[in-house]
Amino acid sequence: MPALGLIGYPLSHSFSPEYFKAKFQLEGLSDWTYELFPLKDISTLNELLYSKSGLRGLNVTIPYKTEVIPFCSNLTDEAREIGAVNCIELVQTPSGKELKGYNTDVEGFRKSLLNWYRPSLKNALILGNGGAAKAVEYVLKSENIGITRVVRTTNDSRQITFHDLPTLSLSAYDLIINCTPIGMYPDIEKVIPIQFSEIQPYHHFYDLVYNPDVTATMQMIMQNGGRAKNGLEMLHLQADAAWAIWCKK
Ligand code: NAP
């Protein structure tokens, strides 16, 4: 019985099981399963790999996107460059099961950004410094879009801190991307601390948060005449990319 699943810890409200179960139904794959595997420690991954029969692939979430890398015998170029894996393919070889690590946030974000607004974005502010921010940075670099990072703490003079953000002029940026949990349920009233009065129609705000549908920051951007999009399409596209890997579509 082909099996898929999600590793991370803790795993509470995950979107993946329902999403993949719907896929199985759509494709008439009634014997496929998708399970949550909350691993208290990543060192128990090998146990899971050998105890779970039919395992073909795993999604990986916080806190294991980096820690899982040493378990992979092979990584895609983007997973290696970003230093984060969110999708694993299990390949049966004569010597046992081998793991290949992918980062499907890259494909999810790229397709979603280009679906939304393709031409002439030049300079982006990326808020955050985690795994998602690295995937976003990888995509923007490959699209020749300039990048400035906004982080909580840094020794790098090219980066801006959240402390400086409330007074930062936004005129040099046409794309602002939230790669932090600011505004995510249950803290739905939290907004990114920027000067909303500076927002112009050329400003594009992409919020990786997708719960709620319209975050408080998206609301403020749109009220001030800018464009805004949430991360739901990216979430679906990164899951579709994982499905394509596991099914070799
Ligand atoms: P992560 O690796 O834990 O990184 C989180 C980043 O946010 C870190 O840089 C952290 O700063 C920063 N941060 C957290 N709270 C903050 C605050 N109050 N103010 C300023 N910065 C703060 O997480 P991730 O995987 O990159 O995910 C980031 C967000 O993107 C999450 O909300 C996640 O749900 C979302 N996401 C969405 C998709 C999608 O498909 N739409 C995909 C991946 C992630 P420090 O480094 O200082 O701790």
Side-chain angles (χ1 to χ4, degrees), residues 62 65 105 127-134 150-153 162 178-182 184 206-210 230-236 238:
I62 294 168
K65 289 186 184 181
D105 282 342
L127 314 183
N129 205 22
K134 289 182 181 124
V150 182
V151 295
R152 287 203 274 207
T153 51
F162 273 86
N178 179 30
C179 304
T180 79
I182 296 173
M184 187 166 78
Y206 192 117
D207 204 331
L208 262 63
V209 172
Y210 46 83
N230 72 17
L232 191 62
E233 185 185 42
M234 173 180 169
L235 185 73
H236 290 174
Q238 64 77 29

CSV table of all heavy atoms in Angstrom, one decimal, residues 62 65 105 127-134 150-153 162 178-182 184 206-210 230-236 238, ligand 1:
chain,number,residue,atom,x,y,z
A,62,ILE,N,8.6,22.3,10.2
A,62,ILE,CA,9.3,22.8,11.4
A,62,ILE,C,9.3,21.8,12.5
A,62,ILE,O,8.2,21.2,12.7
A,62,ILE,CB,8.6,24.2,11.8
A,62,ILE,CG1,8.9,25.2,10.7
A,62,ILE,CG2,9.2,24.6,13.2
A,62,ILE,CD1,8.1,26.5,10.9
A,65,LYS,N,13.4,21.0,8.8
A,65,LYS,CA,13.7,21.3,7.4
A,65,LYS,C,15.2,21.3,7.1
A,65,LYS,O,15.7,20.9,6.0
A,65,LYS,CB,13.1,22.6,6.9
A,65,LYS,CG,11.6,22.5,6.8
A,65,LYS,CD,11.1,23.8,6.2
A,65,LYS,CE,9.6,23.8,6.2
A,65,LYS,NZ,9.0,25.0,5.6
A,105,ASP,N,9.0,24.6,-1.9
A,105,ASP,CA,8.6,26.0,-1.7
A,105,ASP,C,9.1,26.8,-2.9
A,105,ASP,O,8.4,27.8,-3.2
A,105,ASP,CB,9.1,26.5,-0.4
A,105,ASP,CG,8.3,26.1,0.8
A,105,ASP,OD1,7.2,25.6,0.7
A,105,ASP,OD2,8.9,26.1,2.0
A,127,LEU,N,10.9,40.1,4.4
A,127,LEU,CA,10.8,40.1,5.9
A,127,LEU,C,11.0,38.7,6.4
A,127,LEU,O,10.2,37.8,6.1
A,127,LEU,CB,9.5,40.7,6.4
A,127,LEU,CG,9.0,42.0,5.7
A,127,LEU,CD1,7.7,42.4,6.3
A,127,LEU,CD2,10.0,43.1,5.7
A,128,GLY,N,12.0,38.5,7.3
A,128,GLY,CA,12.3,37.2,7.8
A,128,GLY,C,13.5,36.5,7.3
A,128,GLY,O,14.1,37.0,6.3
A,129,ASN,N,14.0,35.5,8.0
A,129,ASN,CA,15.3,34.9,7.7
A,129,ASN,C,15.3,33.4,7.8
A,129,ASN,O,16.3,32.8,7.9
A,129,ASN,CB,16.3,35.5,8.8
A,129,ASN,CG,17.7,35.5,8.3
A,129,ASN,OD1,17.9,35.5,7.1
A,129,ASN,ND2,18.6,35.5,9.2
A,130,GLY,N,14.1,32.8,7.8
A,130,GLY,CA,13.9,31.4,8.0
A,130,GLY,C,14.0,30.7,6.7
A,130,GLY,O,14.4,31.2,5.7
A,131,GLY,N,13.5,29.4,6.7
A,131,GLY,CA,13.5,28.5,5.6
A,131,GLY,C,12.7,29.1,4.4
A,131,GLY,O,13.2,29.1,3.2
A,132,ALA,N,11.5,29.7,4.7
A,132,ALA,CA,10.7,30.2,3.6
A,132,ALA,C,11.4,31.4,3.0
A,132,ALA,O,11.3,31.6,1.7
A,132,ALA,CB,9.3,30.6,4.2
A,133,ALA,N,12.0,32.3,3.8
A,133,ALA,CA,12.7,33.5,3.3
A,133,ALA,C,13.8,33.1,2.3
A,133,ALA,O,14.0,33.7,1.3
A,133,ALA,CB,13.2,34.3,4.4
A,134,LYS,N,14.5,32.0,2.7
A,134,LYS,CA,15.6,31.5,1.8
A,134,LYS,C,15.1,31.0,0.5
A,134,LYS,O,15.7,31.2,-0.6
A,134,LYS,CB,16.4,30.4,2.5
A,134,LYS,CG,17.2,31.1,3.7
A,134,LYS,CD,18.1,30.1,4.4
A,134,LYS,CE,18.8,30.8,5.5
A,134,LYS,NZ,18.6,30.2,6.8
A,150,VAL,N,15.0,42.0,5.8
A,150,VAL,CA,14.6,42.7,7.1
A,150,VAL,C,14.6,41.5,8.1
A,150,VAL,O,13.8,40.6,8.0
A,150,VAL,CB,13.2,43.4,7.0
A,150,VAL,CG1,12.9,44.0,8.3
A,150,VAL,CG2,13.2,44.4,5.9
A,151,VAL,N,15.4,41.7,9.1
A,151,VAL,CA,15.6,40.6,10.1
A,151,VAL,C,15.5,41.2,11.6
A,151,VAL,O,15.5,42.4,11.7
A,151,VAL,CB,16.9,39.9,10.0
A,151,VAL,CG1,17.0,39.2,8.6
A,151,VAL,CG2,18.1,40.8,10.1
A,152,ARG,N,15.4,40.3,12.5
A,152,ARG,CA,15.3,40.9,13.9
A,152,ARG,C,16.7,41.3,14.4
A,152,ARG,O,16.8,42.3,15.1
A,152,ARG,CB,14.7,39.8,14.8
A,152,ARG,CG,13.2,39.7,14.6
A,152,ARG,CD,12.5,39.1,15.7
A,152,ARG,NE,12.4,37.7,15.8
A,152,ARG,CZ,11.5,37.0,16.3
A,152,ARG,NH1,10.5,37.6,17.0
A,152,ARG,NH2,11.5,35.6,16.3
A,153,THR,N,17.7,40.5,14.2
A,153,THR,CA,19.0,40.8,14.6
A,153,THR,C,20.0,40.5,13.5
A,153,THR,O,19.9,39.5,12.8
A,153,THR,CB,19.5,40.0,15.8
A,153,THR,OG1,19.3,38.7,15.6
A,153,THR,CG2,18.7,40.5,17.1
A,162,PHE,N,14.1,45.0,12.0
A,162,PHE,CA,12.7,45.3,12.3
A,162,PHE,C,12.6,46.6,13.1
A,162,PHE,O,11.6,47.3,13.0
A,162,PHE,CB,11.9,44.2,13.0
A,162,PHE,CG,11.4,43.2,12.1
A,162,PHE,CD1,12.1,42.1,11.6
A,162,PHE,CD2,10.0,43.3,11.6
A,162,PHE,CE1,11.6,41.2,10.7
A,162,PHE,CE2,9.5,42.4,10.8
A,162,PHE,CZ,10.3,41.3,10.3
A,178,ASN,N,6.2,39.0,3.1
A,178,ASN,CA,6.3,38.6,4.5
A,178,ASN,C,6.6,37.1,4.7
A,178,ASN,O,5.7,36.3,4.3
A,178,ASN,CB,4.9,38.9,5.2
A,178,ASN,CG,5.0,38.4,6.7
A,178,ASN,OD1,6.0,38.4,7.3
A,178,ASN,ND2,3.8,38.0,7.2
A,179,CYS,N,7.8,36.8,5.1
A,179,CYS,CA,8.2,35.4,5.4
A,179,CYS,C,8.3,35.2,6.9
A,179,CYS,O,9.2,34.4,7.3
A,179,CYS,CB,9.5,35.1,4.7
A,179,CYS,SG,9.5,35.4,2.9
A,180,THR,N,7.5,35.9,7.7
A,180,THR,CA,7.4,35.6,9.1
A,180,THR,C,6.0,35.2,9.5
A,180,THR,O,5.1,35.4,8.6
A,180,THR,CB,7.8,36.9,9.9
A,180,THR,OG1,6.6,37.8,9.9
A,180,THR,CG2,8.9,37.7,9.3
A,181,PRO,N,5.8,34.7,10.7
A,181,PRO,CA,4.4,34.4,11.1
A,181,PRO,C,3.5,35.6,11.5
A,181,PRO,O,2.4,35.4,12.0
A,181,PRO,CB,4.5,33.4,12.3
A,181,PRO,CG,6.0,33.3,12.5
A,181,PRO,CD,6.7,34.3,11.7
A,182,ILE,N,4.1,36.9,11.3
A,182,ILE,CA,3.3,38.0,11.8
A,182,ILE,C,1.9,38.1,11.1
A,182,ILE,O,1.9,38.1,9.9
A,182,ILE,CB,4.1,39.3,11.5
A,182,ILE,CG1,5.4,39.4,12.3
A,182,ILE,CG2,3.2,40.6,11.9
A,182,ILE,CD1,6.3,40.5,12.0
A,184,MET,N,-0.4,35.8,11.6
A,184,MET,CA,-1.0,34.5,11.4
A,184,MET,C,-1.9,34.2,12.6
A,184,MET,O,-1.7,34.6,13.7
A,184,MET,CB,0.1,33.5,11.3
A,184,MET,CG,-0.3,32.1,11.0
A,184,MET,SD,1.2,31.0,10.6
A,184,MET,CE,1.8,30.7,12.2
A,206,TYR,N,3.2,40.5,-0.9
A,206,TYR,CA,2.9,39.0,-0.9
A,206,TYR,C,3.1,38.5,0.5
A,206,TYR,O,4.2,38.6,1.1
A,206,TYR,CB,3.9,38.3,-1.9
A,206,TYR,CG,3.5,36.9,-2.2
A,206,TYR,CD1,3.2,36.5,-3.5
A,206,TYR,CD2,3.4,35.9,-1.2
A,206,TYR,CE1,2.8,35.2,-3.7
A,206,TYR,CE2,3.0,34.6,-1.4
A,206,TYR,CZ,2.7,34.3,-2.7
A,206,TYR,OH,2.3,33.0,-3.0
A,207,ASP,N,2.0,38.0,1.1
A,207,ASP,CA,2.1,37.5,2.5
A,207,ASP,C,2.1,36.0,2.4
A,207,ASP,O,1.1,35.4,1.9
A,207,ASP,CB,0.8,38.0,3.2
A,207,ASP,CG,1.1,38.0,4.7
A,207,ASP,OD1,1.9,37.2,5.2
A,207,ASP,OD2,0.4,38.8,5.4
A,208,LEU,N,3.2,35.3,2.9
A,208,LEU,CA,3.2,33.9,2.9
A,208,LEU,C,2.2,33.3,3.8
A,208,LEU,O,1.8,32.1,3.7
A,208,LEU,CB,4.6,33.4,3.2
A,208,LEU,CG,5.5,33.0,2.0
A,208,LEU,CD1,5.7,34.2,1.1
A,208,LEU,CD2,6.8,32.3,2.4
A,209,VAL,N,1.7,34.1,4.8
A,209,VAL,CA,0.6,33.6,5.7
A,209,VAL,C,-0.6,33.5,4.9
A,209,VAL,O,-0.9,34.2,4.0
A,209,VAL,CB,0.4,34.7,6.8
A,209,VAL,CG1,-0.8,34.4,7.7
A,209,VAL,CG2,1.7,34.8,7.7
A,210,TYR,N,-1.4,32.4,5.2
A,210,TYR,CA,-2.7,32.1,4.5
A,210,TYR,C,-3.8,31.9,5.4
A,210,TYR,O,-5.0,31.6,5.0
A,210,TYR,CB,-2.5,30.9,3.5
A,210,TYR,CG,-1.8,29.7,4.2
A,210,TYR,CD1,-2.6,28.8,5.0
A,210,TYR,CD2,-0.5,29.6,4.1
A,210,TYR,CE1,-1.9,27.8,5.7
A,210,TYR,CE2,0.2,28.5,4.8
A,210,TYR,CZ,-0.6,27.6,5.5
A,210,TYR,OH,0.0,26.6,6.2
A,230,ASN,N,-2.2,36.5,-0.6
A,230,ASN,CA,-1.8,35.7,0.5
A,230,ASN,C,-1.1,34.4,0.0
A,230,ASN,O,-0.9,34.2,-1.2
A,230,ASN,CB,-3.0,35.3,1.4
A,230,ASN,CG,-4.0,34.3,0.7
A,230,ASN,OD1,-3.6,33.6,-0.3
A,230,ASN,ND2,-5.2,34.2,1.2
A,231,GLY,N,-0.7,33.5,0.9
A,231,GLY,CA,0.2,32.4,0.6
A,231,GLY,C,-0.5,31.1,0.2
A,231,GLY,O,0.1,30.1,0.1
A,232,LEU,N,-1.9,31.2,0.1
A,232,LEU,CA,-2.6,29.9,-0.1
A,232,LEU,C,-2.3,29.2,-1.5
A,232,LEU,O,-2.1,28.0,-1.5
A,232,LEU,CB,-4.1,30.2,-0.1
A,232,LEU,CG,-5.0,29.0,0.0
A,232,LEU,CD1,-4.7,28.2,1.3
A,232,LEU,CD2,-6.5,29.4,-0.1
A,233,GLU,N,-2.1,30.0,-2.5
A,233,GLU,CA,-1.8,29.4,-3.8
A,233,GLU,C,-0.4,28.8,-3.8
A,233,GLU,O,-0.2,27.7,-4.3
A,233,GLU,CB,-1.8,30.5,-4.9
A,233,GLU,CG,-1.6,29.9,-6.3
A,233,GLU,CD,-1.5,30.9,-7.4
A,233,GLU,OE1,-0.9,32.0,-7.2
A,233,GLU,OE2,-2.1,30.7,-8.4
A,234,MET,N,0.5,29.4,-3.1
A,234,MET,CA,1.9,28.9,-2.9
A,234,MET,C,1.8,27.5,-2.2
A,234,MET,O,2.4,26.5,-2.6
A,234,MET,CB,2.8,29.8,-2.1
A,234,MET,CG,4.1,29.3,-1.8
A,234,MET,SD,5.1,30.4,-0.9
A,234,MET,CE,6.5,29.4,-0.3
A,235,LEU,N,1.0,27.5,-1.1
A,235,LEU,CA,0.8,26.3,-0.3
A,235,LEU,C,0.3,25.1,-1.2
A,235,LEU,O,0.8,24.0,-1.2
A,235,LEU,CB,-0.2,26.5,0.8
A,235,LEU,CG,-0.4,25.4,1.8
A,235,LEU,CD1,0.8,25.3,2.7
A,235,LEU,CD2,-1.7,25.7,2.6
A,236,HIS,N,-0.7,25.4,-2.1
A,236,HIS,CA,-1.2,24.4,-3.0
A,236,HIS,C,-0.2,24.0,-4.0
A,236,HIS,O,0.0,22.8,-4.3
A,236,HIS,CB,-2.5,24.9,-3.7
A,236,HIS,CG,-3.6,25.0,-2.7
A,236,HIS,ND1,-4.8,25.6,-3.1
A,236,HIS,CD2,-3.8,24.7,-1.4
A,236,HIS,CE1,-5.7,25.6,-2.1
A,236,HIS,NE2,-5.0,25.1,-1.0
A,238,GLN,N,3.1,24.2,-3.9
A,238,GLN,CA,4.3,23.4,-3.3
A,238,GLN,C,3.8,22.0,-3.1
A,238,GLN,O,4.6,21.0,-3.2
A,238,GLN,CB,4.9,24.1,-2.1
A,238,GLN,CG,4.1,24.2,-0.8
A,238,GLN,CD,4.0,23.0,0.0
A,238,GLN,OE1,4.8,22.1,-0.1
A,238,GLN,NE2,2.9,22.8,0.7
B,1,NAP,P1,11.0,29.8,10.3
B,1,NAP,O1,12.1,29.0,9.6
B,1,NAP,O2,10.6,29.4,11.7
B,1,NAP,O3,11.4,31.3,10.2
B,1,NAP,C1,10.5,32.3,10.7
B,1,NAP,C2,11.2,33.7,10.5
B,1,NAP,O4,10.2,34.7,11.0
B,1,NAP,C3,12.5,33.9,11.3
B,1,NAP,O5,13.3,34.7,10.5
B,1,NAP,C4,12.0,34.6,12.5
B,1,NAP,O6,13.0,35.5,13.1
B,1,NAP,C5,10.9,35.5,11.9
B,1,NAP,N1,10.0,35.9,13.0
B,1,NAP,C6,9.2,35.2,13.8
B,1,NAP,N2,8.4,35.9,14.5
B,1,NAP,C7,8.7,37.2,14.2
B,1,NAP,C8,8.3,38.5,14.7
B,1,NAP,N3,7.3,38.6,15.7
B,1,NAP,N4,8.8,39.6,14.2
B,1,NAP,C9,9.8,39.5,13.2
B,1,NAP,N5,10.2,38.4,12.7
B,1,NAP,C10,9.7,37.2,13.2
B,1,NAP,O7,9.6,29.6,9.5
B,1,NAP,P2,9.4,29.5,7.9
B,1,NAP,O8,9.3,28.1,7.5
B,1,NAP,O9,10.4,30.4,7.2
B,1,NAP,O10,8.0,30.1,7.7
B,1,NAP,C11,7.7,31.5,7.9
B,1,NAP,C12,6.2,31.8,7.6
B,1,NAP,O11,5.9,31.5,6.3
B,1,NAP,C13,5.3,31.0,8.5
B,1,NAP,O12,4.2,31.9,8.8
B,1,NAP,C14,4.8,29.9,7.6
B,1,NAP,O13,3.5,29.5,7.9
B,1,NAP,C15,4.8,30.6,6.2
B,1,NAP,N6,5.0,29.7,5.1
B,1,NAP,C16,4.1,29.7,4.2
B,1,NAP,C17,4.3,28.8,3.1
B,1,NAP,C18,3.2,28.8,2.0
B,1,NAP,O14,3.2,27.8,1.2
B,1,NAP,N7,2.4,29.8,1.9
B,1,NAP,C19,5.4,28.0,3.0
B,1,NAP,C20,6.4,28.1,4.0
B,1,NAP,C21,6.2,28.9,5.1
B,1,NAP,P3,14.3,35.0,13.9
B,1,NAP,O15,15.2,34.3,12.9
B,1,NAP,O16,14.8,36.2,14.5
B,1,NAP,O17,13.7,34.0,14.9
